[in-house]
Amino acid sequence: MIGSMLLSISEVASQIGLRPSAIRYYEQIGILPPAQRVSGQRRYDFTVLHRLVVIQRARQTGFTLTEIKQLFFGFRTGTPPSVRWQKLKRRKIIELDAMLEHIHSVRDLLEQQGKCRCTALEECGKKIFEKQCENGLS
């Protein structure tokens, strides 16, 4: 494919593996620059594929669209990509660590669930409420 060739939204979508509606949405929220229009139809420069690949990688690693927008536009012009990724990565790792801690807590609760000797769920509820059944777990 020639670099100066303009691509239709369906060509971009098929090259990247996205729905055209996702590409339009990225444009609407400002992550993608507005497409050129030829006879009323969107036409994209080949380099849009590179931006979309970065967006996809960021989505795969758990970044929100707001965070991705910050990746592109939340830094002074000339800020190297490595600095941008590092700053967002630190925040994302803190967030993931908190999620992981929560997941372990929930898993521990699930492991304890059903180890009680209660005869009715209301009894479990009472013991949970009173923190009497296996350290507060029924």
Side-chain angles (χ1 to χ4, degrees), residues 12-26:
V12 171
S14 71
Q15 290 259 347
I16 295 296
L18 286 172
R19 293 186 317 266
S21 60
I23 295 168
R24 284 190 294 274
Y25 182 67
Y26 291 164

Side-chain angles (χ1 to χ4, degrees), residues 26-79:
Y26 291 164
E27 217 180 290
Q28 178 187 338
I29 64 173
I31 292 176
L32 283 182
Q36 298 177 41
R37 298 284 180 153
V38 176
S39 300
Q41 294 183 339
R42 287 175 166 85
R43 292 288 185 246
Y44 296 91
D45 182 270
F46 189 77
T47 60
V48 75
L49 300 175
H50 305 152
R51 181 173 285 232
L52 285 167
V53 168
V54 171
I55 292 168
Q56 283 184 309
R57 173 58 57 90
R59 295 291 286 157
Q60 289 166 351
T61 54
F63 290 99
T64 65
L65 291 175
T66 300
E67 291 166 332
I68 293 168
K69 192 170 184 177
Q70 183 180 10
L71 178 68
F72 286 107
F73 305 109
F75 295 86
R76 275 190 249 139
T77 304
T79 302

